[in-house]
Amino acid sequence: MRTRENRRNWQEEPERLAVWFSDLHPVTQKRLTAFVIRCPMRGCLLGRVFRQGDPKARIQYVWLARAHAGQNSAAIVNWAWDGGRGSKEFMTTSCRHGTARIDIGLLQGMIEALDFPPSSPTEGWLNHYEMAIQRGYARRTIIASDTDWSART
């Protein structure tokens, strides 16, 4: 059963990983980044998902975003395969142009497309993914959709 205390305990690990990632050298941060989410208006960096862990054992994908008023938001994206810790339905992020609610399924879909491509790619294998993933696969960049975006006025 989820309680407020459990939620606090589940959130400690993503926050610890976010602090660890923020303290790394920018070149190392870029190397560990799996993909980024950008603002649809001006292309501001809304958040990034980075890999942490040993590829032979367990890899955690951690969402790190900047929220309103300079607060950071962190969560483990692959929670479904990690015991349900840090699970959320959507991630909130913002920049000076507006606020976005990024669906956790979109982030998990991009991870699946990047890490588990077919062994013999056929033409159009990306077609069963959402349009945002299809457009952003090559550059490892997802642009927040207009339906999830609310501009500041």
Side-chain angles (χ1 to χ4, degrees):
M1 176 192 245
R2 290 190 179 170
T3 63
R4 191 173 292 192
E5 184 178 325
N6 288 345
R7 181 59 141 175
R8 227 175 280 124
N9 292 339
W10 289 338
Q11 195 60 28
E12 286 176 7
E13 186 175 0
E15 289 173 359
R16 180 185 58 79
L17 291 171
V19 169
W20 171 80
F21 185 76
S22 299
D23 291 342
L24 293 175
H25 190 274
V27 173
T28 308
Q29 286 182 3
K30 188 173 183 179
R31 186 175 52 81
L32 293 175
T33 299
F35 61 94
V36 297
I37 307 289
R38 295 207 173 267
C39 160
M41 295 182 75
R42 301 278 179 149
C44 302
L45 180 66
L46 294 176
R48 63 179 74 197
V49 173
F50 67 92
R51 290 181 181 94
Q52 194 276 334
D54 181 15
K56 296 177 183 172
R58 178 181 79 160
I59 296 179
Q60 288 182 323
Y61 291 90
V62 180
W63 162 260
L64 180 61
R66 192 161 182 125
H68 188 64
Q71 297 175 344
N72 288 330
S73 165
I76 295 174
V77 177
N78 56 339
W79 58 268
W81 305 288
D82 198 22
R85 293 184 307 197
S87 61
K88 296 180 178 182
E89 292 179 21
F90 61 89
M91 307 298 176
T92 305
T93 183
S94 63
C95 68
R96 64 182 170 181
H97 304 111
T99 304
R101 290 173 49 143
I102 308 298
D103 182 22
I104 188 78
L106 179 68
L107 300 178
Q108 289 175 337
M110 187 65 155
I111 288 171
E112 179 186 331
L114 292 173
D115 282 357
F116 308 110
S119 56
S120 58
T122 58
E123 187 175 323
W125 70 274
L126 274 174
N127 289 343
H128 74 278
Y129 289 105
E130 294 180 44
M131 188 57 72
I133 294 173
Q134 292 177 31
R135 280 190 239 130
Y137 178 78
R139 295 188 121 171
R140 310 297 195 253
T141 302
I142 294 178
I143 306 296
S145 68
D146 292 336
T147 57
D148 299 330
W149 180 257
S150 61
R152 292 205 204 305
T153 55

